[in-house]
Amino acid sequence: DCYREIRQFENETSVHFDYIFHASGTGTTQAGLICGQIMARDERRIVGISIARTNPRGRDVVLESVRDYLAEHCPCPVPEEDIQEKTIFVDGYVGGGYGKDDRLIEQTIKDVMLRYGIPLDGTYTGKAYWGMGEYLLRNGVSNKNVLFIHTGGTPLYFDDLKNIERLQSEHSDTQRGDKE
């Protein structure tokens, strides 16, 4: 359904997303997006940024969900190489692990809130957003339409406010020290 909604938005706005990023935890969001992509026969890169699991286990969980869904819902067989090619599970940005505080992610949460007014949390979306930015830089991706799917976690954002307030305080102290 989510993939269908993305395609509908693209058709209505004449915008095509070259990349779709999201937090990959249990792997079901990523599996659903990949299944939608395969069934629609679309070409784009769907990149799951792991929030905890590492490869090969993290990617294997996504692959298993994709295969199971397609076996039940896709009328024609899908070649394994297509499933493998479309499953991009990136585990290089898990930071300290599931739910662990990380200063780079805290800074990302603060920057996105101040710049765009979008709350991110330190467990899921903040980590995925930070990972997306790093992925795009490291892979030299530019001049592409990128969609970041905010998969929730907003209640966790409020738990993370103390970290953002601490960063703001440290930033103010540093600026004050620079002026003195």
Side-chain angles (χ1 to χ4, degrees), residues 7 19 26 28 35 49 63 66 96 99-100 105-106 114 127 133 143 170:
R7 290 193 57 193
Y19 287 82
T26 63
T28 55
C35 289
I49 303 294
L63 287 167
V66 170
K100 303 290 186 205
I105 295 165
E106 290 172 1
L114 293 175
K127 194 176 287 186
N143 299 317
E170 289 172 4

Side-chain angles (χ1 to χ4, degrees), residues 128-148:
Y129 193 92
W130 171 70
M132 174 186 68
E134 293 294 310
Y135 178 96
L136 293 170
L137 284 172
R138 288 185 182 173
N139 290 284
V141 177
S142 61
N143 299 317
K144 300 291 182 185
N145 291 324
V146 175
L147 172 65
F148 177 77

Side-chain angles (χ1 to χ4, degrees), residues 36-56:
Q37 177 186 25
I38 288 171
M39 293 171 84
R41 296 184 175 95
D42 283 345
E43 291 301 320
R44 68 177 88 232
R45 309 234 345 140
I46 297 172
V47 183
I49 303 294
S50 178
I51 54 95
R53 289 186 176 137
T54 57
N55 283 314

Side-chain angles (χ1 to χ4, degrees), residues 50-54 91-106 122-124 126-128 130:
S50 178
I51 54 95
R53 289 186 176 137
T54 57
D91 68 350
Y93 310 108
V94 296
Y98 181 82
K100 303 290 186 205
D101 289 339
D102 184 295
R103 288 179 108 20
L104 290 171
I105 295 165
E106 290 172 1
T123 301
Y124 300 100
K127 194 176 287 186
W130 171 70

Side-chain angles (χ1 to χ4, degrees), residues 58-112:
R59 186 170 190 270
D60 288 345
V61 167
V62 176
L63 287 167
E64 184 178 325
S65 292
V66 170
R67 288 183 197 112
D68 289 349
Y69 184 86
L70 291 175
E72 189 174 325
H73 295 93
C74 193
C76 56
V78 177
E80 179 64 21
E81 56 269 14
D82 288 353
I83 295 170
Q84 292 285 335
E85 177 189 326
K86 292 185 180 346
T87 304
I88 305 167
F89 180 87
V90 180
D91 68 350
Y93 310 108
V94 296
Y98 181 82
K100 303 290 186 205
D101 289 339
D102 184 295
R103 288 179 108 20
L104 290 171
I105 295 165
E106 290 172 1
Q107 189 63 49
T108 298
I109 292 168
K110 177 184 171 216
D111 292 346
V112 170

